[in-house]
Amino acid sequence: MANNHSDLPILYSLRNCPYAMRARIAIFKAKQTVLLRDLVLSNKPPEMIAASPKGTVPVIVLPNENNRVIEESLEVMLWALHEADPDNLLLRERESALTEMLTLIHTFDYEFKTAIEAYKCAKRYKETNVVECRQACELFIQILEQRLTNSAFFMGPKESLADIALLPFIRQFARIERQWYLQSPYPKVRQWLNSYLQSPMFTKVMAKYPLWLDNHEVVLFGGGEKS
């Protein structure tokens, strides 16, 4: 059976990793079909390490492109949406939209992500600077709240690459101090996040699959198929 899928892209993924999560969301939105190889950090497939020695997910291998490897989540997202973009997440009608989105994503990938890691550590280890760490994150959440005050999504009335790229990290932020978050002055961000977390798309993207190393089971993901 595996031979029937030998030309499909191979996606190495970790279910709860935010970077792998957003790659799966983009693949799902693009209705691309990939062979999903789910893993755990403590047991990485040798095939993945051979393709991408840095050993982080997501990694996608493209057999029909001479086994080209894409090993950054944003690049995986762009690959998927350049293959097909039925929801126009790249906002192709707006000339500068992609540049604007990539700038916003870059800010959150580096500055916000750093702030989140400090916030998570402060909470986990009951440090005295939890509030300061949270406030550092809030500077970025305020930017999104302002955007959502004017429109339903980060780039305007339509969903875009920016929304699905930031989604896993906003979800992370919301889970650190859950009770505080539910009372926080960011109702638009909460509404935006809830609409994703309660969506059928998110349920499918977060479905639990057998670990590939356990039995090398063929798992098809995406493609608009009902699983």
Side-chain angles (χ1 to χ4, degrees):
M1 181 178 177
N3 291 337
N4 299 333
H5 308 299
S6 59
D7 288 338
L8 286 177
I10 299 165
L11 176 68
Y12 293 96
S13 181
L14 178 65
R15 182 170 172 266
N16 281 308
C17 167
Y19 295 102
M21 199 183 298
R22 71 182 187 181
R24 294 197 307 274
I25 293 172
I27 289 167
F28 184 89
K29 290 278 190 179
K31 293 182 166 55
Q32 296 297 301
T33 301
V34 300
L35 289 171
L36 180 68
R37 294 182 175 177
D38 236 348
L39 57 94
V40 291
L41 286 177
S42 58
N43 194 14
K44 299 172 186 175
E47 294 89 343
M48 184 188 95
I49 301 300
S52 176
K54 70 176 188 166
T56 59
V57 290
V59 172
I60 199 161
V61 180
L62 305 174
N64 60 355
E65 295 185 33
N66 295 317
N67 290 318
R68 180 164 73 95
V69 175
I70 307 174
E71 52 187 358
E72 297 290 344
S73 62
L74 184 55
E75 295 302 317
V76 174
M77 298 180 82
L78 291 170
W79 164 80
L81 294 172
H82 282 307
E83 290 289 313
D85 187 9
D87 297 327
N88 190 26
L89 297 177
L90 295 179
L91 305 179
R92 295 172 191 271
E93 72 282 0
R94 287 167 53 181
E95 187 176 340
S96 62
L98 183 57
T99 299
E100 291 174 28
M101 289 190 287
L102 293 177
T103 299
L104 180 65
I105 293 166
H106 186 274
T107 297
F108 275 76
D109 277 8
Y110 292 92
E111 298 174 38
F112 181 61
K113 183 60 174 156
T114 300
I116 277 189
E117 290 304 317
Y119 181 26
K120 279 168 57 181
C121 286
K123 177 67 166 60
R124 181 182 306 141
Y125 299 112
K126 297 180 170 55
E127 295 173 3
T128 58
N129 63 338
V130 173
V131 173
E132 290 91 334
C133 290
R134 182 213 302 148
Q135 289 171 341
C137 295
E138 284 185 80
L139 296 175
F140 300 93
I141 299 298
Q142 288 162 8
I143 293 170
L144 302 183
E145 184 73 15
Q146 182 59 48
R147 284 177 176 259
L148 294 172
T149 299
N150 300 319
S151 57
F153 296 97
F154 294 155
M155 295 297 294
K158 292 170 55 178
E159 180 185 38
S160 74
L161 170 69
D163 295 281
I164 63 172
L166 270 53
L167 169 59
F169 301 104
I170 308 306
R171 175 177 177 261
Q172 267 193 344
F173 171 78
R175 290 158 66 98
I176 296 171
E177 287 185 289
R178 183 71 179 157
Q179 290 308 310
W180 173 88
Y181 168 77
L182 291 174
Q183 304 295 323
S184 68
Y186 308 111
K188 298 292 186 181
V189 169
R190 281 199 299 276
Q191 181 182 6
W192 171 89
L193 180 59
N194 283 342
S195 69
Y196 274 113
L197 299 185
Q198 296 169 8
S199 68
M201 176 278 292
F202 195 75
T203 299
K204 291 181 179 179
V205 164
M206 292 302 293
K208 193 168 186 177
Y209 294 99
L211 296 178
W212 183 70
L213 274 179
D214 286 351
N215 55 19
H216 288 60
E217 181 178 334
V218 172
V219 174
L220 300 180
F221 174 82
E225 296 182 23
K226 307 227 188 286
S227 52

